[in-house]
Amino acid sequence: MTITPPALSVFETLESEVRSYCRGWPAVFDRAQGARLTDEDGHGYLDFFAGAGSLNYGHNNPVLKRALIDYIERDGITHGLDMATTAKRAFLESFQNVVLRPRDLPYKVMFPGPTGTNAVEAALKLARKVKGRESIVSFTNAFHGMSLGSLAVTGNAFKRAGAGIPLVHGTPMPFDHYLDGQTPDFLWFERLLEDQGSGLNKPAAVIVETIQGEGGINVARPEWLRALADLCHRQDMLLIVDDIQMGCGRTGAFFSFEEAGITPDIVTLSKSISGYGLPMSLCLFSPELDVWEPGEHNGTFRGNNPAFVTAAAALNTYWADGQMEKQTIARGEQVERALNAIRAESTGDVPDIRGRGLVWGVEFADKTRASAVCARAFELGLLLETSGPQSEVVKLLPPLTITADELDEGLRTVARAVRDTS
């Protein structure tokens, strides 16, 4: 298939230069269903991007769409700030019954605003309020959002530079595998905490992704996460898990930290929590941390009722019986086999593949190669993006609802794109 780039005049002349994804995918998209998109010229694309992880259940999922249409047609509340509504009650009851109680998680639920960075800002603010300290520890290659507090705990130099002011009260520590096993886990961190001459202010909290999505699909080992949780407990620091991209089933279990057997003090969720791509985020925390004064943290769009409707439908449809987790693990094994075959053919060009569930990364020795593979994949009708500090990793993030045949089709296209760019 040969795709002719469309005329993008209004986008190029009126829209800001800050636009990014559209530069790699020069098409004007018009419709989407499941794991496929169609542009205005009728060209079809298989989606291994899934709205950067916000479409775990695919585009226009029919079950969620029906629930949303029914709600809108009966004039259900759309904008409700943090007022009590029937849609919010239905979501909270579903979240409690389907997610929290089966996992014996006692969390309180906070609606901080519509995006992931809103949830991170709330988590950082709450940790500082509870502990009475300012410092937050994050990890190398972390990404937590684009607002100032989130940027202060983000590793990427390009994104940090966009702040335009100093980013303070954040201290990075090495993520799992960052030092290639040459130094015992947390040796440096714990030494700084215990040395009165280290210059490290006592942190209020540590924030971590179990799998760093934007950082290059860096997967933390369960034992590393358990050791981190233990360190936080011993040193009186709160543990925040940013599950914005890796939660809602992306790694198999609903929460990505379940495999490690830990219970974070605070968890942030966004992206696919609404199920339909509607803006929504949550900040979850242990009840004893709920020290907020009414209105102390708020936001005009923290009550997105249509998102509550689709979120409840997603939970009740996909998480009530455990089948989604089993399917995602099976699909992940399918991806791993295909990527291992690509790596075997690469004669050293692909030093590593890594991932879990339905998030995977293919690292290239030539740092420019991943972008070329994604460009070729687009020409072949597949949407892929890069990740990593130098965009050296091809990132696979298909919908969890993708069929085995669609997944196989996309993986064959990935293999062809790799061969065509060698």
Side-chain angles (χ1 to χ4, degrees), residues 306-372:
F308 296 156
V309 170
T310 54
L315 295 178
N316 293 327
T317 302
Y318 293 105
W319 292 101
D321 60 5
Q323 292 306 305
M324 176 59 75
E325 180 174 351
K326 294 176 182 177
Q327 177 177 296
T328 300
I329 291 170
R331 297 282 192 271
E333 292 169 352
Q334 182 181 348
V335 174
E336 186 174 17
R337 288 191 297 270
L339 296 186
N340 274 322
I342 291 172
R343 186 183 185 193
E345 292 179 4
S346 70
T347 62
D349 293 338
V350 178
D352 193 22
I353 65 147
R354 49 188 181 262
R356 201 168 86 222
L358 276 176
V359 53
W360 286 85
V362 183
E363 182 181 356
F364 289 89
D366 177 354
K367 306 295 185 186
T368 66
R369 182 84 177 282
S371 294

Side-chain angles (χ1 to χ4, degrees), residues 36 302 421:
R36 298 185 185 274
R302 66 193 183 278
T421 57

Side-chain angles (χ1 to χ4, degrees), residues 28-234:
V28 179
F29 296 102
D30 182 47
R31 291 173 290 113
Q33 216 292 313
R36 298 185 185 274
L37 297 92
T38 305
D39 69 20
E40 63 180 354
D41 295 321
H43 298 124
Y45 303 82
L46 192 57
D47 188 2
F48 270 28
F49 174 64
S54 63
L55 295 166
N56 281 5
Y57 312 106
H59 296 269
N60 288 302
N61 182 289
V63 176
L64 312 190
K65 180 167 63 175
R66 184 71 264 161
L68 180 59
I69 290 172
D70 289 346
Y71 183 77
I72 292 171
E73 286 187 337
R74 72 169 185 82
D75 291 332
I77 296 289
T78 295
H79 183 278
L81 292 154
D82 69 349
M83 295 185 291
T85 66
T86 55
K88 183 195 281 189
R89 180 174 59 201
F91 167 73
L92 285 170
E93 289 174 347
S94 294
F95 193 70
Q96 183 177 49
N97 294 332
V98 176
V99 175
L100 297 181
R101 279 181 178 157
R103 293 162 179 80
D104 197 25
L105 294 172
Y107 294 136
K108 298 293 287 292
V109 179
M110 175 183 178
F111 301 101
T115 70
T117 199
N118 292 135
V120 170
E121 295 284 358
L124 300 179
K125 185 188 291 188
L126 180 61
R128 288 169 170 140
K129 180 178 174 67
V130 168
K131 291 299 182 183
R133 309 178 204 133
E134 297 176 347
S135 178
I136 304 289
V137 164
S138 57
F139 290 93
T140 50
N141 289 313
F143 178 76
H144 296 290
M146 297 297 281
S147 52
L148 292 180
S150 300
L151 280 175
V153 291
T154 286
N156 186 282
F158 173 74
K159 292 180 173 64
R160 289 175 62 89
I165 61 171
L167 297 170
V168 296
H169 308 308
T171 303
M173 291 291 165
F175 191 72
D176 195 12
H177 304 297
Y178 187 78
L179 299 175
D180 297 323
Q182 299 175 30
T183 303
D185 294 336
F186 307 113
L187 177 66
W188 171 242
F189 189 5
E190 193 148 21
R191 179 68 181 272
L192 290 179
L193 288 168
E194 294 177 349
D195 184 356
Q196 296 300 306
S198 70
L200 176 66
N201 293 329
K202 181 78 172 183
V206 175
I207 185 168
V208 67
E209 303 155 275
T210 64
I211 301 176
Q212 295 180 326
E214 301 305 308
I217 317 301
N218 305 312
V219 183
R221 293 166 296 147
E223 57 267 32
W224 186 88
L225 292 168
R226 286 192 288 269
L228 175 61
D230 178 66
L231 176 62
C232 288
H233 178 73
R234 288 187 286 106

